[in-house]
Amino acid sequence: MLSIRATIPLTLLLLSGCVVGPDHKEPEIQLPVKFAEGGKASNGDVATVAWWNAFNDSRLNGYVSTGLAQNLTVLQAIERINQAQSQITVAGAGALPSLTGSGSHTISETKGSLATADRPVQNTSSGALDASWLLDLFGQYRRSKESASASLDAAYSTADVQRLTLISSVVSAYIDARYFQERLAIARANLKSRRETLDLTKLQLEAGAASRLDVVQSEGLVNSTLADMPGLETSFRQAAHRIATLLGMPASSLVLELQRGARQPVARKAPLTGIPADLIRNRPDIRVAERNLAAAVAQIGVAESRLYPSITISGSISPSLVNVANNGARGTSNSWSFGPSLVLPIFDGGSLRANVDIAKSSAREQYLAWKETVLNGIEEVENALAAVTRDKQTEDALRRTVRSYQEALSLATASYRDGASSLLDVLDAQRQVSTAQANLATAVQTTAQDYVRLSVALGGGYAVGGPTTSSNTVIAANTPKRR
């Protein structure tokens, strides 16, 4: 017979058991050394880089800060973190001993026409304590807890995705609002110029130097400008409504504030692109995919553990007290039980093996999803970088175009006043100036939006105003831990 000293280590060894299933390893993918139009230097951790400060707009900065604190989608993602934290406790609880208690008290009496039927009032009090412990010999619950921990990491990173999406949406909507305000300002300036031309044409008509056709054409251009303005105002208000909703406010809350106007946002500097490998650390959507893969790999172990026997140790104690009311008789009855039980899967029609195959296939699917997320991220950076590199060229060319057409309009107007050219020359020049100004405003908007797309594609800014957080599991690329 084994001594207690020998039995204890053997028991601990038995209880520690073995954990079946593969251990998660960081996924690998072959990446280029640099982006096609980027440098070779890493930009490190950009989670706390407030890239929108490059627009030098305090109102925009305030909107982003408010959105991070109040956006309802972000708050929902945080609640999912709380759920995932509790799910870890649920996943690991099955491997711990359980103890339940119960108690009852009943009063009974029986009466009838037969003498033997009568039974006096009887009080019965009883209780029970039941304990059980499923020995996690093959790591079913340990793998379940591992999977839940990975899912918690994914929940943290999903919240980061929502923060980054929120920042992108707020900044993009703000850029749109200022764009439509700029278009409205251009339309008002053009309207003033065209009304002046109309007044001049009417004077020319009275002097016999112009025809009724000239007046009608000039009036048509004025009315065409008036027709464009309501649509631009509607678009501005829709952008303002979008910002308010993103900030968790009623849609019309910010219209008056935004109507005060400001210049179109222009980024004062370009973001550092880093290298493709930086995305694995910096982009939260890639971390979500990697953590989902880790959770799926752990589920393989859960499925494999069900192929093996399970042992449960259980016991119970059930005391009871009986008190007969009419004669004062009292008595107790106590019972207890203790022992292990073994469950051994023998024939299940192949379902347990099929569950293992399903878990393995799910893990492979998650790896492919991770790989796809990485490649999509690289594509987004490459596309945005290519656009940002060329946007300024388009913008500069359009600025020169506006100056040329404005000079042409000034010359055509002066010539028309002197009677040396026709009204058609003036109207054409006005159309050209209007179109060039609108194109320039669109180019400024496009440049700003491409800057946003590049910054978001690089995965920066979601942790501004708060610590970067993650659960206990260390995830890919030395992601900062969060608590």
Side-chain angles (χ1 to χ4, degrees), residues 24 26 153 290-291 470-479 481:
H24 174 64
E26 302 297 344
D153 279 325
E290 190 275 335
R291 290 289 83 197
S470 71
S471 67
N472 294 328
T473 306
V474 179
I475 63 178
N478 298 319
T479 300
K481 295 178 93 58

Side-chain angles (χ1 to χ4, degrees), residues 256-279:
L256 291 178
E257 182 177 309
L258 287 168
Q259 280 178 334
R260 297 171 189 169
R263 59 174 176 77
Q264 280 189 270
V266 176
R268 302 303 178 185
K269 60 181 180 179
L272 299 175
T273 59
I275 57 177
D278 290 334
L279 299 185

Side-chain angles (χ1 to χ4, degrees), residues 39-351:
K40 294 183 179 180
S42 170
N43 59 4
D45 183 7
V46 297
T48 57
V49 176
W51 47 264
W52 52 93
N53 287 341
F55 291 117
N56 195 27
D57 192 316
S58 59
R59 182 166 294 168
L60 173 60
N61 296 343
Y63 289 159
V64 171
S65 298
T66 302
L68 288 172
Q70 297 181 182
N71 179 260
L72 299 180
T73 303
V74 171
L75 294 177
Q76 291 175 58
I78 293 173
E79 288 302 323
R80 286 191 287 272
I81 292 175
N82 297 332
Q83 296 165 26
Q85 286 174 329
S86 298
Q87 191 60 40
I88 292 179
T89 302
V90 173
L96 300 175
S98 66
L99 178 65
T100 59
S102 62
S104 66
H105 179 79
T106 59
I107 302 174
S108 61
E109 180 183 14
T110 302
K111 290 186 177 182
S113 58
L114 296 176
T116 58
D118 290 341
R119 292 183 181 177
V121 176
Q122 179 174 299
N123 290 272
T124 304
S125 299
S126 62
L129 284 176
D130 296 289
S132 65
W133 186 10
L134 190 150
L135 304 183
D136 194 15
L137 301 179
F138 299 99
Q140 175 181 344
Y141 290 103
R142 276 166 285 178
R143 288 299 192 192
S144 294
K145 191 172 182 179
E146 182 182 323
S147 178
S149 295
S151 296
L152 174 59
D153 279 325
Y156 274 114
S157 294
T158 299
D160 292 339
V161 171
Q162 296 300 336
R163 291 187 183 97
L164 189 56
T165 301
L166 176 277
I167 295 169
S168 172
S169 299
V170 169
V171 178
S172 294
Y174 187 82
I175 291 171
D176 288 343
R178 295 311 186 197
Y179 163 71
F180 290 116
Q181 282 184 313
E182 179 68 15
R183 289 290 307 276
L184 279 167
I186 292 171
R188 293 187 185 103
N190 289 334
L191 180 62
K192 180 181 178 182
S193 174
R194 289 168 180 178
R195 279 175 170 166
E196 290 174 352
T197 301
L198 175 60
D199 293 339
L200 176 61
T201 304
K202 288 180 179 179
L203 291 175
Q204 298 276 40
L205 177 64
E206 293 175 358
S211 67
R212 177 60 183 167
L213 176 60
D214 292 334
V215 174
V216 172
Q217 288 177 327
S218 185
E219 286 177 342
L221 203 55
V222 169
N223 290 325
S224 174
T225 306
L226 288 171
D228 291 338
M229 294 174 67
L232 295 172
E233 178 67 27
T234 298
S235 297
F236 160 73
R237 287 178 173 269
Q238 289 173 343
H241 295 165
R242 181 60 184 152
I243 295 172
T245 301
L246 289 169
L247 270 54
M249 303 165 63
S252 60
S253 301
L254 300 177
V255 172
L256 291 178
E257 182 177 309
L258 287 168
Q259 280 178 334
R260 297 171 189 169
R263 59 174 176 77
Q264 280 189 270
V266 176
R268 302 303 178 185
K269 60 181 180 179
L272 299 175
T273 59
I275 57 177
D278 290 334
L279 299 185
I280 295 178
R281 171 183 57 244
N282 291 329
R283 282 188 58 129
D285 59 333
I286 294 177
R287 295 205 308 274
V288 170
E290 190 275 335
R291 290 289 83 197
N292 287 337
L293 171 59
V297 170
Q299 286 298 320
I300 297 175
V302 174
E304 288 188 357
S305 68
R306 291 174 177 146
L307 298 173
Y308 301 97
S310 63
I311 299 175
T312 302
I313 299 175
S314 60
S316 65
I317 301 175
S318 302
S320 62
L321 171 65
V322 179
N323 183 9
V324 181
N326 64 344
N327 57 17
R330 302 179 58 154
T332 61
S333 174
N334 302 310
S335 64
W336 63 273
S337 65
F338 176 79
S341 61
L342 173 67
V343 176
L344 177 64
I346 298 175
F347 180 74
D348 56 36
S351 63

Side-chain angles (χ1 to χ4, degrees), residues 7-52:
T7 302
I8 291 176
L10 290 174
T11 303
L12 293 176
L13 180 62
L14 176 65
L15 295 180
S16 65
C18 59
V19 180
V20 298
D23 293 325
H24 174 64
K25 297 179 180 179
E26 302 297 344
E28 298 180 355
I29 184 174
Q30 189 69 32
L31 297 176
V33 177
K34 60 184 286 293
F35 294 109
E37 299 184 29
K40 294 183 179 180
S42 170
N43 59 4
D45 183 7
V46 297
T48 57
V49 176
W51 47 264
W52 52 93

Side-chain angles (χ1 to χ4, degrees), residues 408-445:
L409 174 60
S410 177
L411 294 173
T413 302
S415 179
Y416 178 62
R417 288 179 184 275
D418 296 338
S421 62
S422 68
L423 175 64
L424 184 60
D425 294 332
V426 175
L427 298 182
D428 284 342
Q430 286 179 336
R431 291 189 188 96
Q432 290 171 338
V433 168
S434 177
T435 300
Q437 289 174 329
N439 289 340
L440 175 59
T442 301
V444 173
Q445 177 202 28

